[in-house]
């Protein structure tokens, strides 16, 4: 498959464990944040989003936490599965603005060991 | 509903040539954005088109340009290709709702030799 990034931070977890992927965002004016998953040979796929008026949002097996004080975002994946292996990106933008001009983080590669 | 379609999937060009990439958004989506993805720089925003007008532009040289047609399909063009333009070019479409998410295509892998 195609490599989406070299020298990415890598998180290796055992199948069934919980995963936590972290992201520091850059723009204080950003108030909308998104996590994407990118598998080899594919484009980024939306996982979950959160607005700045929230500090936590839950989806199916995923939770996003937002700490505006330190400009930090995290993605928690419960009961990690081999199919979760991918590169994960956080993205930021100003809410209400267009969906273009997303600012992406560098990405974290998640590797799940069976 | 068909997803975002990008053509071609792979392309090899020579330095100095120009290239045109195509993106067909999800039916009903009027916003199309383009991103460049490289191992060194990650995902970087190129430009966004909405209703045939460029709405936002990233920090790329003028060799990178784009357009959008009345059916919302978009093309991007890179002229005078350089080796550093080798990348995965991704297109994303979204509806006009402010809360709408961006859906990405599989990308076009451009290699400049």
């Amino acid at each position: 498959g195609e490599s989406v990034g070299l020298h990415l931070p890598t998180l290796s977890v055992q199948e069934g464990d919980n995963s936590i992927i972290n992201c520091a965002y850059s723009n204080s004016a950003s108030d909308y944040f998104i996590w994407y998953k990118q598998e080899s040979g594919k484009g980024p796929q939306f996982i979950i989003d959160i607005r700045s008026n929230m500090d936590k949002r839950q989806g199916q097996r995923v939770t996003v936490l937002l700490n505006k004080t330190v400009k930090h975002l995290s993605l928690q994946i419960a009961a990690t599965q081999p199919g979760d292996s991918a590169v994960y990106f956080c993205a930021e933008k100003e809410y209400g603005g267009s969906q273009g001009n997303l600012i992406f983080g560098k990405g974290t590669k998640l590797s799940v060991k069976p | 509903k068909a997803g975002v379609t990008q053509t071609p999937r792979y392309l090899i060009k020579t330095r100095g040539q120009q290239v045109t990439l195509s993106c067909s958004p999800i039916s009903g989506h009027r916003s199309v954005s383009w991103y460049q993805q490289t191992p060194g720089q990650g995902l970087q925003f190129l430009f966004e088109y909405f209703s045939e007008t460029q709405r936002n532009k990233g920090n790329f040289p003028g060799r990178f340009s784009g357009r959008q047609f009345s059916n919302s399909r978009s093309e991007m063009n890179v002229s005078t290709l350089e080796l550093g333009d080798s990348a995965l070019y991704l297109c994303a479409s979204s509806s006009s709702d402010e809360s709408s998410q961006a859906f990405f295509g599989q990308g076009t892998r451009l290699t400049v030799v």
Side-chain angles (χ1 to χ4, degrees):
Chain A
E2 298 168 352
S3 170
V4 298
L6 301 176
H7 311 298
L8 287 174
T10 299
L11 175 65
S12 185
V13 301
Q14 202 70 38
E15 181 178 359
D17 287 351
N18 297 333
S19 303
I20 300 176
I21 300 171
N22 296 304
C23 174
Y25 63 92
S26 55
N27 185 2
S28 298
S30 294
D31 54 6
Y32 180 58
F33 306 89
I34 312 149
W35 280 99
Y36 285 93
K37 171 187 180 183
Q38 188 173 25
E39 297 174 278
S40 183
K42 296 184 178 180
Q45 177 186 2
F46 174 92
I47 301 173
I48 191 168
D49 58 3
I50 188 168
R51 292 182 60 188
S52 60
N53 60 354
M54 304 170 70
D55 53 21
K56 180 180 180 178
R57 190 170 187 212
Q58 288 185 289
Q60 187 177 19
R61 280 202 309 120
V62 294
T63 301
V64 54
L65 299 178
L66 174 63
N67 185 331
K68 295 180 289 294
T69 303
V70 295
K71 294 195 287 187
H72 183 268
L73 198 63
S74 69
L75 176 70
Q76 300 178 0
I77 304 174
T80 314
Q81 302 167 2
D84 295 326
S85 294
V87 178
Y88 289 81
F89 295 94
C90 64
E92 58 183 294
K93 78 172 188 77
E94 294 182 29
Y95 188 75
S98 65
Q99 283 288 345
N101 203 10
L102 290 170
I103 302 170
F104 282 85
K106 292 296 184 185
T108 296
K109 183 176 182 179
L110 176 65
S111 177
V112 182
K113 295 175 286 187
Chain B
K1 202 180 208 182
V4 178
T5 303
Q6 290 188 246
T7 56
R9 286 294 311 278
Y10 301 94
L11 206 50
I12 300 175
K13 289 286 190 178
T14 305
R15 269 183 304 176
Q17 287 187 311
Q18 68 143 16
V19 67
T20 299
L21 313 181
S22 180
C23 172
S24 293
I26 291 172
S27 178
H29 284 187
R30 293 163 62 192
S31 170
V32 174
S33 300
W34 289 90
Y35 292 83
Q36 181 196 65
Q37 186 173 31
T38 60
Q41 298 300 317
L43 274 153
Q44 292 187 291
F45 170 73
L46 280 156
F47 28 66
E48 181 201 9
Y49 286 87
F50 181 81
S51 294
E52 302 179 65
T53 302
Q54 189 179 85
R55 185 154 71 172
N56 285 300
K57 188 178 190 303
N59 188 27
F60 277 81
R63 299 185 298 108
F64 292 81
S65 63
R67 59 178 176 168
Q68 187 180 34
F69 302 95
S70 58
N71 61 357
S72 294
R73 190 178 71 85
S74 178
E75 290 181 345
M76 68 162 281
N77 184 79
V78 188
S79 62
T80 321
L81 284 165
E82 301 176 0
L83 294 178
D85 296 332
S86 295
L88 181 67
Y89 289 88
L90 290 159
C91 165
S93 80
S94 61
S95 73
S96 56
D97 295 336
E98 64 178 17
S99 61
S100 67
Q101 60 176 269
F103 294 85
F104 282 84
Q106 290 192 295
T108 293
R109 169 70 64 184
L110 171 65
T111 302
V112 183
V113 298

